Amino acid sequence: MRENGGQYTHSAVWAIIAFALSGQSDKAMELYKMINPISHASTEEQTKIYKVEPYVIAADVYGTGNLLGRGGWTWYTGSSSWFYKAGIEYILGLKIQNGYLTLSPHIPQDWKNYTIRLQYKTSIYNINVNVVSNDFTKNTVIKTFKLNGTIIAEKKIKLIDNNKYNEIEIEL
């Protein structure tokens, strides 16, 4: 919360990450959509209120008085990198560390699948994630992890620069 009663984006994104990690994936996605800049400018009327670029995350969104709903401090904030991390790393679950790709998603309960296309140097990794069981185990439990049709027991892969399309199939 900002001193003007509005959204302080850094802390809002950290709250999204906390909801995702605590297993409240639906709430994480609800908040993610809420602070997405495009959500503040999807109509002409909203654009007139928001008054900043709908493709740049604002450091804050004012919450009181005649500035209610107006964005502020765009192109200035580190919130955009945290927003990116919240979506890619904590909701979709894609992490790359020390050259290894892992997936630890925290997706909403009603999602049935999603796809990520990742370019690594000259290689393309098409990552297809399918929910095969809807017992809502926080949608984080990877049942199978395949690379180009081969089951990967470790459920992580070393990214390689092989100038090919690589298919990763994941079942939750």
Side-chain angles (χ1 to χ4, degrees):
M1 188 75 102
R2 199 72 167 167
E3 65 272 4
N4 59 25
Q7 163 194 307
Y8 181 52
T9 308
H10 267 84
S11 58
V13 175
W14 295 331
I16 291 166
I17 292 169
F19 279 113
L21 291 174
S22 69
Q24 298 179 64
S25 303
D26 290 341
K27 185 68 170 177
M29 181 54 76
E30 174 190 342
L31 295 175
Y32 190 83
K33 288 177 181 178
M34 184 184 297
I35 69 168
N36 189 336
I38 199 66
S39 298
H40 297 282
S42 57
T43 68
E44 185 177 347
E45 185 60 34
Q46 288 176 326
T47 302
K48 288 177 183 177
I49 294 168
Y50 193 50
K51 293 192 178 194
V52 295
E53 308 89 333
Y55 48 83
V56 180
I57 198 157
D60 56 61
V61 178
Y62 300 96
T64 60
N66 64 338
L67 298 177
L68 179 66
R70 183 173 183 175
W73 297 96
T74 61
W75 297 105
Y76 174 76
T77 177
S79 299
S80 60
S81 60
W82 280 105
F83 186 70
Y84 176 85
K85 286 177 73 69
I88 301 296
E89 292 186 10
Y90 293 96
I91 293 174
L92 298 180
L94 177 68
K95 291 192 180 176
I96 300 170
Q97 294 176 320
N98 300 321
Y100 283 87
L101 178 146
T102 60
L103 205 80
S104 180
H106 298 89
I107 60 172
Q109 185 175 6
D110 63 346
W111 282 24
K112 303 298 179 215
N113 56 57
Y114 64 95
T115 301
I116 302 170
R117 182 181 166 127
L118 173 72
Q119 181 168 350
Y120 176 76
K121 299 183 181 181
T122 64
S123 302
I124 302 292
Y125 288 86
N126 292 315
I127 306 163
N128 297 297
V129 180
N130 293 295
V131 179
V132 294
S133 173
N134 204 10
D135 60 4
F136 196 53
T137 55
K138 300 180 188 174
N139 285 345
T140 61
V141 177
I142 295 176
K143 294 181 175 153
T144 60
F145 187 117
K146 294 180 184 177
L147 172 62
N148 297 325
T150 302
I151 293 177
I152 306 297
E154 299 82 24
K155 299 179 182 169
K156 69 177 183 178
I157 60 162
K158 175 86 171 144
L159 293 171
I160 55 172
D161 184 13
N162 65 359
N163 197 31
K164 294 181 180 179
Y165 285 89
N166 299 280
E167 299 293 328
I168 297 174
E169 295 288 331
I170 294 175
E171 290 184 349
L172 303 180

Short mmCIF file of all heavy atoms in Angstrom, two decimals, residues 77-126:
data_model
loop_
_atom_site.label_atom_id
_atom_site.label_comp_id
_atom_site.label_asym_id
_atom_site.label_seq_id
_atom_site.Cartn_x
_atom_site.Cartn_y
_atom_site.Cartn_z
N THR A 77 10.63 1.91 -12.54
CA THR A 77 10.48 0.94 -11.48
C THR A 77 11.15 -0.40 -11.78
O THR A 77 11.21 -0.83 -12.92
CB THR A 77 8.98 0.71 -11.19
OG1 THR A 77 8.87 -0.30 -10.19
CG2 THR A 77 8.23 0.24 -12.42
N GLY A 78 11.63 -1.06 -10.75
CA GLY A 78 12.11 -2.43 -10.87
C GLY A 78 10.98 -3.43 -10.75
O GLY A 78 11.19 -4.64 -10.82
N SER A 79 9.77 -2.92 -10.58
CA SER A 79 8.61 -3.79 -10.45
C SER A 79 8.40 -4.66 -11.67
O SER A 79 7.88 -5.77 -11.57
CB SER A 79 7.34 -2.98 -10.20
OG SER A 79 7.45 -2.24 -9.02
N SER A 80 8.78 -4.16 -12.84
CA SER A 80 8.55 -4.94 -14.07
C SER A 80 9.32 -6.25 -14.04
O SER A 80 8.80 -7.28 -14.46
CB SER A 80 8.93 -4.11 -15.30
OG SER A 80 10.29 -3.74 -15.25
N SER A 81 10.54 -6.23 -13.53
CA SER A 81 11.30 -7.49 -13.48
C SER A 81 10.68 -8.45 -12.46
O SER A 81 10.64 -9.66 -12.69
CB SER A 81 12.77 -7.24 -13.17
OG SER A 81 12.92 -6.59 -11.94
N TRP A 82 10.18 -7.92 -11.36
CA TRP A 82 9.51 -8.78 -10.38
C TRP A 82 8.20 -9.33 -10.94
O TRP A 82 7.83 -10.47 -10.70
CB TRP A 82 9.26 -8.03 -9.07
CG TRP A 82 10.50 -7.98 -8.24
CD1 TRP A 82 11.32 -6.90 -8.04
CD2 TRP A 82 11.07 -9.06 -7.50
NE1 TRP A 82 12.36 -7.26 -7.23
CE2 TRP A 82 12.24 -8.58 -6.88
CE3 TRP A 82 10.70 -10.39 -7.31
CZ2 TRP A 82 13.04 -9.38 -6.08
CZ3 TRP A 82 11.51 -11.19 -6.50
CH2 TRP A 82 12.65 -10.68 -5.90
N PHE A 83 7.48 -8.50 -11.71
CA PHE A 83 6.24 -8.94 -12.35
C PHE A 83 6.53 -10.08 -13.32
O PHE A 83 5.82 -11.09 -13.35
CB PHE A 83 5.59 -7.74 -13.05
CG PHE A 83 4.23 -8.02 -13.63
CD1 PHE A 83 3.13 -8.22 -12.81
CD2 PHE A 83 4.04 -8.05 -15.00
CE1 PHE A 83 1.87 -8.45 -13.34
CE2 PHE A 83 2.79 -8.28 -15.54
CZ PHE A 83 1.70 -8.48 -14.71
N TYR A 84 7.59 -9.93 -14.10
CA TYR A 84 8.02 -10.97 -15.04
C TYR A 84 8.35 -12.26 -14.28
O TYR A 84 7.89 -13.34 -14.64
CB TYR A 84 9.24 -10.46 -15.82
CG TYR A 84 9.85 -11.48 -16.75
CD1 TYR A 84 9.34 -11.65 -18.04
CD2 TYR A 84 10.93 -12.25 -16.37
CE1 TYR A 84 9.89 -12.58 -18.91
CE2 TYR A 84 11.48 -13.18 -17.23
CZ TYR A 84 10.97 -13.33 -18.49
OH TYR A 84 11.52 -14.26 -19.34
N LYS A 85 9.15 -12.13 -13.22
CA LYS A 85 9.51 -13.30 -12.42
C LYS A 85 8.29 -13.97 -11.80
O LYS A 85 8.20 -15.19 -11.76
CB LYS A 85 10.51 -12.93 -11.32
CG LYS A 85 11.91 -12.67 -11.82
CD LYS A 85 12.84 -12.23 -10.71
CE LYS A 85 13.22 -13.32 -9.77
NZ LYS A 85 14.08 -14.39 -10.26
N ALA A 86 7.34 -13.18 -11.32
CA ALA A 86 6.13 -13.75 -10.72
C ALA A 86 5.38 -14.60 -11.73
O ALA A 86 4.95 -15.71 -11.41
CB ALA A 86 5.23 -12.64 -10.19
N GLY A 87 5.23 -14.10 -12.94
CA GLY A 87 4.51 -14.85 -13.97
C GLY A 87 5.26 -16.05 -14.49
O GLY A 87 4.72 -17.16 -14.53
N ILE A 88 6.51 -15.86 -14.88
CA ILE A 88 7.30 -16.92 -15.50
C ILE A 88 7.79 -17.95 -14.48
O ILE A 88 7.62 -19.15 -14.66
CB ILE A 88 8.50 -16.35 -16.28
CG1 ILE A 88 8.04 -15.39 -17.37
CG2 ILE A 88 9.37 -17.47 -16.84
CD1 ILE A 88 7.22 -16.01 -18.46
N GLU A 89 8.39 -17.47 -13.40
CA GLU A 89 9.04 -18.40 -12.46
C GLU A 89 8.10 -18.95 -11.40
O GLU A 89 8.26 -20.10 -10.98
CB GLU A 89 10.23 -17.71 -11.78
CG GLU A 89 11.37 -17.44 -12.74
CD GLU A 89 12.60 -16.90 -12.04
OE1 GLU A 89 12.66 -16.91 -10.79
OE2 GLU A 89 13.51 -16.46 -12.76
N TYR A 90 7.15 -18.16 -10.93
CA TYR A 90 6.35 -18.61 -9.80
C TYR A 90 4.96 -19.11 -10.18
O TYR A 90 4.43 -19.99 -9.51
CB TYR A 90 6.26 -17.52 -8.73
CG TYR A 90 7.61 -17.28 -8.11
CD1 TYR A 90 8.44 -16.27 -8.56
CD2 TYR A 90 8.07 -18.12 -7.10
CE1 TYR A 90 9.70 -16.08 -8.00
CE2 TYR A 90 9.33 -17.94 -6.54
CZ TYR A 90 10.14 -16.92 -7.00
OH TYR A 90 11.38 -16.74 -6.47
N ILE A 91 4.36 -18.58 -11.24
CA ILE A 91 3.06 -19.11 -11.67
C ILE A 91 3.28 -20.21 -12.70
O ILE A 91 2.89 -21.36 -12.47
CB ILE A 91 2.14 -17.98 -12.20
CG1 ILE A 91 1.78 -17.05 -11.04
CG2 ILE A 91 0.88 -18.58 -12.83
CD1 ILE A 91 0.99 -15.81 -11.43
N LEU A 92 3.95 -19.91 -13.82
CA LEU A 92 4.23 -20.95 -14.82
C LEU A 92 5.29 -21.93 -14.33
O LEU A 92 5.32 -23.07 -14.75
CB LEU A 92 4.67 -20.32 -16.14
CG LEU A 92 3.64 -19.42 -16.82
CD1 LEU A 92 4.21 -18.87 -18.11
CD2 LEU A 92 2.33 -20.15 -17.06
N GLY A 93 6.18 -21.48 -13.46
CA GLY A 93 7.13 -22.37 -12.82
C GLY A 93 8.45 -22.59 -13.54
O GLY A 93 9.25 -23.41 -13.11
N LEU A 94 8.71 -21.89 -14.63
CA LEU A 94 9.93 -22.10 -15.41
C LEU A 94 11.12 -21.43 -14.73
O LEU A 94 11.12 -20.22 -14.51
CB LEU A 94 9.75 -21.51 -16.81
CG LEU A 94 10.97 -21.60 -17.72
CD1 LEU A 94 11.28 -23.05 -18.08
CD2 LEU A 94 10.76 -20.76 -18.96
N LYS A 95 12.12 -22.24 -14.41
CA LYS A 95 13.34 -21.70 -13.81
C LYS A 95 14.54 -22.29 -14.53
O LYS A 95 14.56 -23.47 -14.87
CB LYS A 95 13.41 -22.01 -12.32
CG LYS A 95 12.38 -21.25 -11.53
CD LYS A 95 12.60 -21.31 -10.05
CE LYS A 95 11.50 -20.53 -9.37
NZ LYS A 95 11.55 -20.60 -7.95
N ILE A 96 15.53 -21.45 -14.73
CA ILE A 96 16.80 -21.88 -15.31
C ILE A 96 17.89 -21.46 -14.35
O ILE A 96 18.05 -20.27 -14.06
CB ILE A 96 17.02 -21.26 -16.70
CG1 ILE A 96 15.89 -21.68 -17.64
CG2 ILE A 96 18.39 -21.65 -17.25
CD1 ILE A 96 15.85 -20.95 -18.95
N GLN A 97 18.59 -22.46 -13.83
CA GLN A 97 19.68 -22.20 -12.89
C GLN A 97 20.86 -23.07 -13.26
O GLN A 97 20.71 -24.29 -13.46
CB GLN A 97 19.25 -22.51 -11.46
CG GLN A 97 18.16 -21.57 -10.97
CD GLN A 97 17.68 -21.93 -9.58
OE1 GLN A 97 17.52 -23.09 -9.25
NE2 GLN A 97 17.43 -20.90 -8.78
N ASN A 98 22.01 -22.46 -13.39
CA ASN A 98 23.25 -23.16 -13.72
C ASN A 98 23.10 -23.99 -14.99
O ASN A 98 23.64 -25.09 -15.09
CB ASN A 98 23.72 -24.03 -12.57
CG ASN A 98 23.98 -23.22 -11.32
OD1 ASN A 98 24.51 -22.12 -11.38
ND2 ASN A 98 23.59 -23.74 -10.17
N GLY A 99 22.34 -23.48 -15.95
CA GLY A 99 22.16 -24.16 -17.22
C GLY A 99 21.12 -25.27 -17.22
O GLY A 99 20.92 -25.93 -18.24
N TYR A 100 20.44 -25.48 -16.11
CA TYR A 100 19.41 -26.51 -16.01
C TYR A 100 18.03 -25.88 -16.00
O TYR A 100 17.79 -24.88 -15.32
CB TYR A 100 19.58 -27.35 -14.73
CG TYR A 100 20.69 -28.35 -14.84
CD1 TYR A 100 22.00 -27.99 -14.51
CD2 TYR A 100 20.44 -29.65 -15.29
CE1 TYR A 100 23.03 -28.92 -14.63
CE2 TYR A 100 21.47 -30.57 -15.41
CZ TYR A 100 22.76 -30.20 -15.08
OH TYR A 100 23.77 -31.11 -15.21
N LEU A 101 17.12 -26.49 -16.74
CA LEU A 101 15.73 -26.08 -16.79
C LEU A 101 14.92 -26.98 -15.87
O LEU A 101 15.01 -28.20 -15.94
CB LEU A 101 15.20 -26.20 -18.22
CG LEU A 101 13.74 -25.84 -18.44
CD1 LEU A 101 13.58 -25.22 -19.82
CD2 LEU A 101 12.82 -27.03 -18.29
N THR A 102 14.16 -26.35 -14.97
CA THR A 102 13.24 -27.08 -14.11
C THR A 102 11.87 -26.41 -14.21
O THR A 102 11.75 -25.27 -14.66
CB THR A 102 13.69 -27.06 -12.63
OG1 THR A 102 13.76 -25.71 -12.18
CG2 THR A 102 15.03 -27.75 -12.46
N LEU A 103 10.86 -27.11 -13.76
CA LEU A 103 9.52 -26.56 -13.76
C LEU A 103 8.87 -26.87 -12.43
O LEU A 103 8.85 -28.03 -12.00
CB LEU A 103 8.69 -27.16 -14.91
CG LEU A 103 7.55 -26.27 -15.35
CD1 LEU A 103 8.06 -25.18 -16.27
CD2 LEU A 103 6.50 -27.08 -16.05
N SER A 104 8.37 -25.84 -11.79
CA SER A 104 7.66 -25.98 -10.53
C SER A 104 6.47 -25.04 -10.56
O SER A 104 6.48 -23.96 -9.96
CB SER A 104 8.60 -25.64 -9.37
OG SER A 104 7.91 -25.79 -8.15
N PRO A 105 5.42 -25.41 -11.30
CA PRO A 105 4.30 -24.49 -11.51
C PRO A 105 3.39 -24.34 -10.30
O PRO A 105 3.31 -25.21 -9.45
CB PRO A 105 3.55 -25.14 -12.66
CG PRO A 105 3.88 -26.58 -12.58
CD PRO A 105 5.26 -26.67 -12.00
N HIS A 106 2.74 -23.19 -10.28
CA HIS A 106 1.69 -22.89 -9.30
C HIS A 106 0.55 -22.27 -10.09
O HIS A 106 0.26 -21.08 -9.96
CB HIS A 106 2.20 -21.93 -8.22
CG HIS A 106 3.32 -22.49 -7.43
ND1 HIS A 106 4.64 -22.34 -7.80
CD2 HIS A 106 3.34 -23.22 -6.30
CE1 HIS A 106 5.41 -22.94 -6.91
NE2 HIS A 106 4.64 -23.49 -6.00
N ILE A 107 -0.08 -23.08 -10.92
CA ILE A 107 -1.10 -22.58 -11.85
C ILE A 107 -2.49 -22.66 -11.24
O ILE A 107 -2.73 -23.45 -10.33
CB ILE A 107 -1.05 -23.35 -13.20
CG1 ILE A 107 -1.30 -24.84 -12.99
CG2 ILE A 107 0.27 -23.08 -13.91
CD1 ILE A 107 -1.47 -25.63 -14.28
N PRO A 108 -3.40 -21.83 -11.75
CA PRO A 108 -4.78 -21.88 -11.24
C PRO A 108 -5.41 -23.26 -11.43
O PRO A 108 -5.06 -24.00 -12.35
CB PRO A 108 -5.49 -20.84 -12.11
CG PRO A 108 -4.43 -19.91 -12.54
CD PRO A 108 -3.21 -20.77 -12.72
N GLN A 109 -6.34 -23.55 -10.56
CA GLN A 109 -6.97 -24.87 -10.54
C GLN A 109 -7.71 -25.19 -11.83
O GLN A 109 -7.76 -26.34 -12.24
CB GLN A 109 -7.93 -24.95 -9.36
CG GLN A 109 -8.54 -26.31 -9.16
CD GLN A 109 -9.38 -26.39 -7.91
OE1 GLN A 109 -9.61 -25.39 -7.24
NE2 GLN A 109 -9.84 -27.58 -7.59
N ASP A 110 -8.25 -24.19 -12.51
CA ASP A 110 -9.05 -24.47 -13.70
C ASP A 110 -8.22 -24.59 -14.99
O ASP A 110 -8.76 -24.87 -16.04
CB ASP A 110 -10.15 -23.43 -13.89
CG ASP A 110 -9.63 -22.03 -14.12
OD1 ASP A 110 -8.43 -21.77 -13.88
OD2 ASP A 110 -10.43 -21.16 -14.53
N TRP A 111 -6.91 -24.40 -14.91
CA TRP A 111 -6.07 -24.56 -16.09
C TRP A 111 -5.94 -26.03 -16.44
O TRP A 111 -5.71 -26.87 -15.57
CB TRP A 111 -4.70 -23.97 -15.86
CG TRP A 111 -4.62 -22.48 -15.96
CD1 TRP A 111 -5.64 -21.59 -15.78
CD2 TRP A 111 -3.46 -21.72 -16.23
NE1 TRP A 111 -5.16 -20.32 -15.93
CE2 TRP A 111 -3.83 -20.37 -16.21
CE3 TRP A 111 -2.13 -22.05 -16.48
CZ2 TRP A 111 -2.92 -19.34 -16.43
CZ3 TRP A 111 -1.22 -21.02 -16.70
CH2 TRP A 111 -1.62 -19.69 -16.69
N LYS A 112 -6.04 -26.34 -17.71
CA LYS A 112 -5.89 -27.71 -18.19
C LYS A 112 -4.53 -27.92 -18.87
O LYS A 112 -4.03 -29.03 -18.94
CB LYS A 112 -7.01 -28.07 -19.18
CG LYS A 112 -8.40 -27.91 -18.59
CD LYS A 112 -8.62 -28.84 -17.43
CE LYS A 112 -10.00 -28.65 -16.85
NZ LYS A 112 -10.06 -28.81 -15.43
N ASN A 113 -3.96 -26.85 -19.40
CA ASN A 113 -2.66 -26.94 -20.07
C ASN A 113 -2.13 -25.55 -20.35
O ASN A 113 -2.87 -24.57 -20.25
CB ASN A 113 -2.77 -27.74 -21.38
CG ASN A 113 -3.80 -27.15 -22.32
OD1 ASN A 113 -3.72 -25.99 -22.70
ND2 ASN A 113 -4.78 -27.96 -22.68
N TYR A 114 -0.85 -25.50 -20.67
CA TYR A 114 -0.23 -24.27 -21.18
C TYR A 114 1.06 -24.64 -21.89
O TYR A 114 1.57 -25.75 -21.74
CB TYR A 114 -0.01 -23.23 -20.08
CG TYR A 114 0.96 -23.60 -18.99
CD1 TYR A 114 2.30 -23.21 -19.04
CD2 TYR A 114 0.55 -24.33 -17.88
CE1 TYR A 114 3.19 -23.54 -18.02
CE2 TYR A 114 1.42 -24.65 -16.86
CZ TYR A 114 2.74 -24.25 -16.93
OH TYR A 114 3.62 -24.57 -15.94
N THR A 115 1.53 -23.70 -22.69
CA THR A 115 2.72 -23.93 -23.50
C THR A 115 3.69 -22.77 -23.32
O THR A 115 3.27 -21.61 -23.25
CB THR A 115 2.34 -24.05 -24.99
OG1 THR A 115 1.43 -25.13 -25.14
CG2 THR A 115 3.56 -24.30 -25.86
N ILE A 116 4.95 -23.10 -23.24
CA ILE A 116 6.01 -22.09 -23.20
C ILE A 116 6.97 -22.40 -24.34
O ILE A 116 7.34 -23.56 -24.54
CB ILE A 116 6.81 -22.15 -21.87
CG1 ILE A 116 5.89 -21.94 -20.67
CG2 ILE A 116 7.95 -21.14 -21.88
CD1 ILE A 116 6.55 -22.21 -19.33
N ARG A 117 7.36 -21.39 -25.07
CA ARG A 117 8.38 -21.55 -26.11
C ARG A 117 9.61 -20.81 -25.63
O ARG A 117 9.57 -19.60 -25.42
CB ARG A 117 7.88 -20.99 -27.43
CG ARG A 117 8.89 -21.18 -28.54
CD ARG A 117 8.35 -20.59 -29.83
NE ARG A 117 9.41 -20.47 -30.78
CZ ARG A 117 9.37 -20.96 -32.00
NH1 ARG A 117 8.30 -21.60 -32.41
NH2 ARG A 117 10.37 -20.81 -32.82
N LEU A 118 10.69 -21.54 -25.45
CA LEU A 118 11.93 -20.98 -24.92
C LEU A 118 13.03 -21.10 -25.96
O LEU A 118 13.27 -22.20 -26.48
CB LEU A 118 12.34 -21.73 -23.64
CG LEU A 118 13.71 -21.38 -23.06
CD1 LEU A 118 13.69 -20.00 -22.45
CD2 LEU A 118 14.12 -22.42 -22.04
N GLN A 119 13.70 -20.01 -26.25
CA GLN A 119 14.87 -20.08 -27.12
C GLN A 119 16.10 -20.05 -26.24
O GLN A 119 16.25 -19.17 -25.38
CB GLN A 119 14.92 -18.92 -28.12
CG GLN A 119 16.13 -19.03 -29.01
CD GLN A 119 16.10 -18.08 -30.19
OE1 GLN A 119 15.08 -17.46 -30.47
NE2 GLN A 119 17.20 -17.99 -30.89
N TYR A 120 16.96 -21.01 -26.44
CA TYR A 120 18.24 -21.08 -25.74
C TYR A 120 19.32 -21.14 -26.81
O TYR A 120 19.46 -22.16 -27.49
CB TYR A 120 18.31 -22.30 -24.82
CG TYR A 120 19.64 -22.46 -24.15
CD1 TYR A 120 20.01 -21.64 -23.09
CD2 TYR A 120 20.56 -23.41 -24.60
CE1 TYR A 120 21.25 -21.78 -22.49
CE2 TYR A 120 21.79 -23.56 -24.00
CZ TYR A 120 22.14 -22.73 -22.94
OH TYR A 120 23.37 -22.86 -22.35
N LYS A 121 20.02 -20.04 -26.99
CA LYS A 121 21.02 -19.90 -28.05
C LYS A 121 20.40 -20.27 -29.39
O LYS A 121 19.46 -19.61 -29.81
CB LYS A 121 22.27 -20.69 -27.70
CG LYS A 121 22.93 -20.19 -26.42
CD LYS A 121 24.21 -20.90 -26.10
CE LYS A 121 24.78 -20.37 -24.78
NZ LYS A 121 26.03 -20.99 -24.44
N THR A 122 20.86 -21.34 -30.05
CA THR A 122 20.28 -21.70 -31.35
C THR A 122 19.17 -22.75 -31.23
O THR A 122 18.61 -23.18 -32.23
CB THR A 122 21.37 -22.26 -32.30
OG1 THR A 122 21.89 -23.47 -31.76
CG2 THR A 122 22.48 -21.25 -32.52
N SER A 123 18.85 -23.16 -30.03
CA SER A 123 17.85 -24.21 -29.80
C SER A 123 16.51 -23.60 -29.40
O SER A 123 16.45 -22.56 -28.76
CB SER A 123 18.31 -25.14 -28.68
OG SER A 123 19.54 -25.73 -29.01
N ILE A 124 15.45 -24.30 -29.77
CA ILE A 124 14.10 -23.94 -29.35
C ILE A 124 13.57 -25.08 -28.50
O ILE A 124 13.65 -26.25 -28.89
CB ILE A 124 13.16 -23.73 -30.56
CG1 ILE A 124 13.69 -22.66 -31.50
CG2 ILE A 124 11.73 -23.43 -30.09
CD1 ILE A 124 13.68 -21.26 -30.95
N TYR A 125 13.03 -24.74 -27.34
CA TYR A 125 12.39 -25.72 -26.47
C TYR A 125 10.89 -25.39 -26.42
O TYR A 125 10.51 -24.31 -25.97
CB TYR A 125 12.98 -25.67 -25.07
CG TYR A 125 14.38 -26.24 -25.01
CD1 TYR A 125 15.49 -25.45 -25.29
CD2 TYR A 125 14.58 -27.58 -24.69
CE1 TYR A 125 16.77 -25.98 -25.24
CE2 TYR A 125 15.86 -28.12 -24.65
CZ TYR A 125 16.95 -27.31 -24.92
OH TYR A 125 18.22 -27.84 -24.89
N ASN A 126 10.08 -26.29 -26.94
CA ASN A 126 8.63 -26.18 -26.84
C ASN A 126 8.21 -26.98 -25.61
O ASN A 126 8.35 -28.20 -25.60
CB ASN A 126 7.95 -26.71 -28.09
CG ASN A 126 8.23 -25.84 -29.30
OD1 ASN A 126 8.15 -24.62 -29.22
ND2 ASN A 126 8.57 -26.46 -30.41
#
